[in-house]
Every structure is written in C-alpha cells, then in structure tokens.
Amino acid sequence: MAAYPIRPYDGVMQAAAKLIANGKMDVEYIVADGEHSQFEIVKHACAVGSRVFVGSSGVGWFYAFEAIAVTAGLRLPVVAICGNRALDDPGAFGTEHNDSLAVRDLGWLLPWAETAQEAMDLALMAWRVGEDKRVSLPVAIGLDGAFLTHSQQIVKIPTQAAVNTFLPPFDLGDRLLHPDNPITIAPQVDQDWLMEIRMQNDQAMRKAEGVIREAHADFKKLFGRGGDSPFLDEYMTDDAEVVFFGQGTLALPMKVAIRRLRKEGHKVGLVRLKWFRPFATDEIVKCLSRFKAVGVIDRDYSFGSPYYGGVLYNEVRSALYSQPKRPVVVGFIAGLGGREIEQPMAQEIFEKTKAAASGDLKAGDTCHWIGVRS
Amino acid sequence: MAIETALPQIKGVKDVPYEELFVSGHRTCQGCESALVMRHMVKASGPRTIVLGSTGCMYVANTTYYTTPWVVPWMHTQLGASGSAALGTAAGLKVLMRKGKLKDEKINVIAFCGDGGGADMGLGAISATLTHKEYNCLVLLYDNESYANTDIQLSSQTPYGAVTTFSPSGSKKRLMHTRWKKNVPGMLAAGHPESRFIAAGCAAYAVDLMNKIRKALEIGGPTFVHTLDPCPKGWDYHPQYSQELGHLAVECGIWPLYEVIDGVCNLTGPTRQIAEGRKKRKPVYEYLKRQGRFAHFIDEDVEHFQAQVDKMWTDWLIPGVIPFTVPAKDQAILKIDKKSKPLHEEPATA
C-alpha cells in the first residue's frame, strides 16, 4: 500500500494507517514522495506477486499519470481509488469526474460508488475482477470527493472467511517476476508488436464484462448485496417515461427529486451507471430504449466535444446511435467542483428532459449547464 | 543443491565469476561502457537477482522484443522511477516472504537508471528510497553524461562546456552549457545518513566496481552506486578508447572513486593513491583533448575546468565528495588536520 497526501481521497489512507498502527492490518505501508512514486511503487510490488492498493485525487492523479498509463499496459491488476476532485487551477476540493475519466481510454476498469457500502463492496469486486486471469487489468474505483469520501455512513464489513471465499489468492502465474521465472517484462516492441499487444488489452476489456457479471453473482450469493445488475442501478423506472442517467452520489439528490415529482404524478426514474469501463453497451442500450427521454447528468466536462456535451452524454449518444428505437438524449452539466445539486436544479433538469420527450425542446444536440450564475 | 547467495569480495580478476548473466541479445554501440556496467553488475550480484531498468540507453538498446540479454528476471520502469521500482519490488518481496507466500530467501533487487533518469528526473524518488531503511535494494546510476538514448542532449551530469545537441557550440556562443556537473553520490551520501552504502565507481576499474556492488547488496537497506561510463557516441571518440577514458577521468581527478560505508568515507583505487601522494594527478587537458565534445575549448575553457577540479582537491572537505571549504581558523574546531589525514593534496604554494 502506498500513500501520499491529497484531499479528499487521503482520508482512506489515514484510516488504513490507523489500522496498521493498531495491528489490525498487516501490509507494507509506504509513504511515497509523490503520486508518481506512489503508483510506481505499487506497480512494481504487484509485478512480484503482491496484492496492492493505492489512490489519489484530482491533480495528484494527474501527477501519477505516467505510472497509471503503464500499469494498464503491463496488465498489472493494481487497485486504486480516485477520490474524484476538480482539477486545479483554480483550486477546488469538490467532486468532478474528470480525474478518473482521463484514464478511460487506457485500459483501467472504472466503477463508481454511490455509498460507502458500495465503495467497500467494489473494492472486493475490483481485486476479484482485476486479478482474474481473463482480465488482468487495473481498477480505479471512483468515489465522489467530499460527498462520499467525507461523509460518515454505517458499513457492513464482511468476515475474513467470507472474503476468502469470494477472493482467491492473487496469482500472476507465468508472469511473476522472480529469479525462478526469469522473464523480461516490457521490452521495446515498436511497430512490430504493439498492435497485437493493444488488441490483447482490448480482448481483456471485452472479457471483463462477463467476469464482472460472474463476480457480481457470487458476491450477491455470499453477501446478499449488489442489486440485480452489476452495471446499472434502476430507481422507480418500471413505468417511467423520463429518466435521469448519471453516476456516483448525484443519485441521492435525484432520488429525492424523483419522489417529489412522483407525488406530482410524473413518470420519472433514475438509472445509475455503476461501471463506466467496461461500458456495458448492450445492457445500457436495452435499458435506456425503454424510455422516451434520458437526461444524462455529467459531473464532468469535455470542452469542444460533440455538441459541447459531457463525457457520459457523448458515450450514451454514441451507444444509442445504431438503435432503431432510441430515446431522446439531453445533456446536463451539473454539480462541478462539488457544487450541490439542489432541488431547483433537479427540477430544471426534469423540465428540460420532459420537454424533450414531448418534442417541445430540440434536445438531442444541445447540452445544458445547470445552476450556473450569470 | 543450495544456490550460493553470499557475495564475498572479489580478490582479483581471477576471482571474478565466470557465469555471464548479461549476454548477447542487445544492440548497444561499439565501445559502450554502460553495457559493461550492466554485465559487471549482474556478474557481481549473481543469479538470485531481479533487475529493474528505467528508460534510457540500457532499456532501449538492450531489450528489443524477441531478444533479451538478461538471464536474470528483468522489468522496465519509467524514466524517473528507478527509486520507486527498487522500493516497490523490495517491499513486495518482503511482504510475500513475511507472510509465507514466497520462499524466504535473499533476492537482490537492483534498479538502474541513466544520468537523465537518476540525476535529473528520478532524483527525488531515489532520495526517498534511500530513507526507507527496512527495504533491501540497490539503485545503480550509469552516467554517460547525456541523454544518450534520445540523441545526446545535455543532462545535469554533462560536464562543463561539453557539446551536446542541446548545447552546440556556435558563432555567438562558444559554450552553451556552463553549469558544473551535479555531485550526485556526494549529495546522496551527505543527505541520507541511514543509507549504509553509497559509492562512485567506473567500469574501467572492474573489480573495484563489482566489489562495490557486492558490498551494497550485502550490507542491506537501500544503497546507491554511481558509475561514470565513457560513451563513444556522446563524447565523440573512437570506441576502442572507452577503458582509457575511464582511467583518465579518474587519473585526472575529475571522477573520484570512493565508497561511504556506514558514514565512513573511503577513497578507492587511483583516487586513494592521488590523495595519498603516491600518484600525481594528471592535467585535465589529457582527458579533454581526447574527446570531440570538448574540441571547441580554447585555453581559457581548459583553465577554468582545471581550476574547478583543482579546487575539489585542495579545498573540499573530502575531495570530490563533500564540497565545503573549511576556513583555516575553524579547522582546529572541526578537528580537521589535512596533513595528518592523507585525503588531500598539498595546495599549490602561494
């Protein structure tokens, strides 16, 4: 385990330090001299066969970027948390998903947690899925800064015996770096072999979806949690015409809004995405095609992107493109830098999405910034 | 049969192990002294070794897929990550052995870096590693005095005035590069009192170098060895003279050989002979004139170079190691008596 301070992820490392100091956890705990070293240390510890944990936030995550990129290339199942934080400058501690999302193309698996319990559960899932030989990829769990990293919630901690049943020992097999297995890792392959190796990463990512489903089924059986699907968490969607779509803690204010809107007679629900990578395209498409309109709420930005939308918005639109029956998709950028998504904002998101559903708003090619002072 | 893992000191050339652990399969330049450092390094450490190689010549020229010169396990690490690679590998092995998940045995962990990776980008990580005294690992910096892999750009280890592709000699500026070479082993030795072994070596003195590597690995904790490696491509000389230039660097007093063991500094090889007055330090011109990278030097440049090296030998607290000058009035307080300690040359008479 390698630690380096940056808010807001580091609360987790502080808690870990306390466990170690009190003899409740037996790990090598290295306080690094920067995030680059932090991620390099765990990468190399992983290569000799040890299970590792690391994390960062915001610009710290970016300071480690080189190590983050090669970890995926090396197919080393490092498990990290990213306490999602706005990218300075200007300084801001609160949630934005651009730090995690910056690694979306590199081969990291990216789940997002809504609650502390889910963060705990996803950590077990992360080691199980990442270390599975069919996958062998790193995992970065997204935790909304402050909203999740700094809220106190009651968490059920599973027994060691149950965890041992769920999580087999880490075994790198013939990829272990050891004098008994004198391999050369990551030589220069150049144009001669790089495409073949990239395609192997692609195949691993394709397999990850099925492995996540397997692990999820086992997890549910053992711990009785996790919902119907590992990828989507649906809330009041059975008869819904309009749904919100997003990830992380924004589910909380949106659920409050949905209960209020339901009382007023609106058929509205929420679909929360639990894994951004791999993007469970078929399941997501099938789910969203049931609705008239989808309001995608991005806690991120992608300046200059198609229709100036957020990352999630463009992913969803792209996934739906070839479908004969598809909902109207409206994009919203909200809650950046940790700004609360308050009920008037949720109301505005609902009204715009509903207007799009009834054809009153030319919605498909626009993206709306919500709750911004003029 | 038990594998021999003890690393006794090598008494002479005949005592050097026959076993080669860095073999054919690389494409380093003719006369590459850094490749020789790699060979000596693993020869000294033996087969129970893991080598981590940060980006640089010794990565790119050594490991091209489908071939590898490494008989021992080897893994690439990032340019600035040699310190972290050594630390992470050592920590990973330690925890697995402690928990009984890996056979408990001595495995040498060596991470190497070039001068760009070690003295520039990765210095912070090496410094951090040298403070983690519970992990056994060696960082080896092979210094060919430029970013030789990317086309000979200057680094903080490029000597004063040398031509590189980032410091060409032009009509307006004869010398583009006028910074004095950073004293890396001295700085690391002074700044990391708990690192038990820090040394400066040169492959031209092969037995001395191999023994330094063995001492570093035997003493335990995080350790550091810095080698000066003549580079025909970067220094612009005929490849057959690599060994000779290594000798000259030491004999001219430019690259002192020493080791700091548990806080005690020993000068080694010809450096000790110079300090003891048994060997006369050669003028730096002997060294400079052999290399194309100094071909643009005029007398004034050579004189400056000589003056800087002289200062190192007459004024520094320890020549080539600790760059402080102690005023005469304080020498008694600090119990420094240059005459009784044969570490300095007599200053030139005023």
Side-chain angles (χ1 to χ4, degrees):
Chain A
M1 188 180 284
Y4 187 80
I6 185 170
R7 286 174 189 163
Y9 106 97
D10 55 0
V12 174
M13 287 300 178
Q14 292 165 26
K18 211 173 253 184
L19 289 174
I20 295 159
N22 292 327
K24 291 187 176 158
M25 189 158 66
D26 181 13
V27 297
E28 297 297 309
Y29 183 81
I30 298 175
V31 179
D33 62 304
E35 288 89 353
H36 185 275
S37 294
Q38 202 191 348
F39 280 70
E40 280 291 332
I41 287 166
V42 294
K43 182 193 94 183
H44 285 282
C46 189
V48 293
S50 54
R51 180 170 282 155
V52 297
F53 179 71
V54 71
S56 194
S57 286
V59 289
W61 185 256
F62 275 53
Y63 196 72
F65 213 103
E66 182 191 38
I68 286 172
V70 296
T71 299
L74 288 162
R75 301 281 300 276
L76 289 171
V78 167
V79 170
I81 55 168
C82 187
N84 298 125
R85 167 181 170 166
L87 298 168
D88 307 334
D89 281 341
F93 293 135
T95 303
E96 251 174 36
H97 290 168
N98 280 78
D99 45 7
S100 283
L101 288 173
V103 310
R104 68 185 168 145
D105 300 327
L106 301 178
W108 280 71
L109 274 58
L110 298 174
W112 249 277
E114 181 195 355
T115 61
Q117 183 69 59
E118 199 175 26
M120 160 91 225
D121 296 350
L122 277 174
L124 296 178
M125 285 283 287
W127 277 303
R128 162 82 180 252
V129 174
E131 292 173 4
D132 189 295
K133 282 202 171 65
R134 293 165 288 176
V135 178
S136 209
L137 287 171
V139 188
I141 304 163
L143 305 180
D144 285 355
F147 294 126
L148 192 49
T149 58
H150 285 69
S151 63
Q152 295 199 340
Q153 298 172 13
I154 292 169
V155 174
K156 286 183 198 158
I157 296 176
T159 62
Q160 188 66 53
V163 172
N164 291 349
T165 310
F166 178 71
L167 193 56
F170 177 35
D171 177 17
L172 270 172
D174 60 6
R175 293 171 56 221
L176 185 75
L177 190 69
H178 189 275
D180 290 339
N181 186 44
I183 51 172
T184 290
I185 300 179
Q188 287 281 127
V189 298
D190 301 324
Q191 73 283 4
D192 200 9
W193 283 103
L194 197 66
M195 270 198 79
E196 284 72 12
I197 291 163
R198 291 280 184 261
M199 196 164 138
Q200 286 176 359
N201 276 50
D202 179 67
Q203 284 160 351
M205 193 55 105
R206 283 166 193 256
K207 284 179 196 153
E209 191 177 326
V211 175
I212 290 167
R213 283 186 202 284
E214 265 177 39
H216 178 76
D218 279 0
F219 189 92
K220 237 182 121 174
K221 215 185 299 167
L222 262 165
F223 303 108
R225 291 190 297 274
D228 296 335
S229 159
F231 296 103
L232 297 175
D233 178 21
E234 297 191 32
Y235 182 76
M236 295 195 178
T237 53
D238 284 349
D239 63 341
E241 291 173 356
V242 167
V243 294
F244 308 123
F245 187 81
Q247 50 188 9
T249 56
L250 61 79
L252 193 67
M254 296 320 288
K255 281 177 184 171
V256 172
I258 288 165
R259 288 196 290 272
R260 185 174 46 77
L261 290 162
R262 283 262 166 191
K263 274 187 199 154
E264 293 167 13
H266 300 292
K267 291 181 174 174
V268 57
L270 168 78
V271 179
R272 180 173 63 90
L273 184 65
K274 296 200 277 187
W275 290 76
F276 181 82
R277 285 287 183 274
F279 197 79
T281 312
D282 290 345
E283 186 178 332
I284 293 163
V285 163
K286 199 172 154 211
C287 168
L288 296 183
S289 300
R290 288 156 40 208
F291 312 111
K292 280 189 184 166
V294 179
V296 179
I297 307 164
D298 270 286
R299 215 164 203 158
D300 62 77
Y301 48 83
S302 179
F303 299 133
S305 68
Y307 305 106
Y308 300 95
V311 174
L312 203 52
Y313 164 79
N314 272 308
E315 294 269 318
V316 167
R317 276 173 59 90
S318 158
L320 289 166
Y321 179 77
S322 55
Q323 297 306 307
K325 180 180 176 292
R326 59 192 174 203
V328 179
V329 180
V330 197
F332 299 99
I333 290 180
L336 296 189
R339 186 169 290 189
E340 289 273 7
I341 297 177
E342 293 163 346
Q343 290 308 305
M345 300 180 200
Q347 183 69 26
E348 188 186 344
I349 291 170
F350 168 69
E351 280 166 12
K352 286 203 158 71
T353 312
K354 190 165 167 48
S358 52
D360 292 347
L361 177 74
K362 190 172 174 297
D365 54 358
T366 50
C367 198
H368 307 274
W369 285 62
I370 299 298
V372 183
R373 289 190 297 266
S374 52
Chain B
M1 195 183 76
I3 298 162
E4 184 57 56
T5 54
L7 301 172
Q9 288 291 287
I10 296 163
K11 291 180 201 79
V13 180
K14 287 181 183 169
D15 197 25
V16 173
Y18 280 113
E19 195 175 13
E20 296 289 355
L21 301 170
F22 175 85
V23 294
S24 58
H26 58 90
R27 49 186 182 90
T28 54
C29 308
Q30 202 178 27
C32 175
E33 197 82 343
S34 297
L36 207 55
V37 170
M38 297 293 118
R39 181 180 166 209
H40 294 340
M41 176 183 87
V42 277
K43 215 180 221 312
S45 71
R48 304 306 279 176
T49 301
I50 294 175
V51 180
L52 298 317
S54 82
T55 314
C57 284
M58 291 302 103
Y59 167 48
V60 175
N62 273 330
T63 36
T64 303
Y65 187 45
Y66 267 179
T67 72
T68 180
W70 297 102
V71 178
V72 292
W74 184 93
M75 181 178 176
H76 175 228
T77 192
Q78 297 313 109
L79 183 55
S82 56
S84 308
L87 189 60
T89 305
L93 291 173
K94 188 180 176 189
V95 72
L96 290 168
M97 288 180 191
R98 176 157 55 79
K99 294 191 175 187
K101 294 178 179 184
L102 209 60
K103 193 183 135 216
D104 194 0
E105 61 171 323
K106 184 170 182 286
I107 294 177
N108 302 309
V109 174
I110 307 177
F112 66 73
C113 51
D115 45 307
D120 286 352
M121 192 189 267
L123 190 61
I126 294 171
S127 167
T129 295
L130 292 178
T131 64
H132 286 275
K133 61 178 183 292
E134 63 276 38
Y135 300 114
N136 301 325
C137 53
L138 163 66
V139 177
L140 183 137
L141 193 159
Y142 68 93
D143 174 9
N144 51 25
E145 299 196 319
S146 78
Y147 287 81
N149 180 52
T150 46
D151 254 357
I152 323 294
Q153 292 90 354
L154 76 85
S155 79
S156 64
Q157 296 300 285
T158 303
Y160 173 87
V163 159
T164 68
T165 54
F166 277 0
S167 57
S169 182
S171 55
K172 174 93 176 162
K173 286 190 169 191
R174 188 179 70 260
L175 304 182
M176 277 275 280
H177 170 54
T178 54
R179 294 181 281 151
W180 195 254
K181 182 178 172 106
K182 206 193 265 184
N183 171 16
V184 173
M187 151 185 13
L188 293 179
H192 303 84
E194 289 191 311
S195 170
R196 299 187 60 194
F197 188 86
I198 286 171
C202 180
Y205 300 93
V207 174
D208 177 79
L209 174 61
M210 282 188 262
N211 279 333
K212 281 171 178 163
I213 295 203
R214 286 195 160 187
K215 279 181 199 165
L217 295 170
E218 283 292 277
I219 203 164
T223 51
F224 178 81
V225 174
H226 187 139
T227 63
L228 182 76
D229 310 351
C231 168
K233 185 179 155 202
W235 298 12
D236 190 6
Y237 64 86
H238 192 283
Q240 69 176 307
Y241 297 122
S242 291
Q243 289 287 100
E244 244 178 280
L245 279 164
H247 288 145
L248 278 170
V250 175
E251 288 166 351
C252 298
I254 297 167
W255 184 249
L257 302 176
Y258 60 92
E259 56 194 18
V260 181
I261 309 176
D262 283 328
V264 178
C265 179
N266 296 316
L267 302 181
T268 66
T271 305
R272 166 160 290 275
Q273 294 170 342
I274 293 169
E276 286 174 347
R278 288 193 285 131
K279 197 174 180 128
K280 204 170 153 44
R281 188 155 52 87
K282 289 182 179 169
V284 298
Y285 183 65
E286 298 288 314
Y287 175 72
L288 303 178
K289 74 177 182 188
R290 304 285 296 270
Q291 305 169 52
R293 61 177 173 162
F294 300 114
H296 58 299
F297 268 29
I298 58 172
D299 289 353
E300 167 189 320
D301 304 327
V302 175
E303 281 158 20
H304 176 77
F305 206 109
Q306 185 68 60
Q308 288 293 104
V309 173
D310 287 349
K311 205 162 84 183
M312 195 158 95
W313 280 90
T314 54
D315 294 358
W316 285 25
L317 201 52
I318 304 173
V321 187
I322 306 296
F324 309 133
T325 301
V326 178
K329 67 181 171 57
D330 289 346
Q331 289 186 2
I333 309 168
L334 292 168
K335 300 190 175 82
I336 291 163
D337 180 358
K338 285 185 179 179
K339 286 197 181 94
S340 73
K341 283 192 174 184
L343 288 180
H344 287 75
E345 291 175 332
E346 277 305 304
T349 42

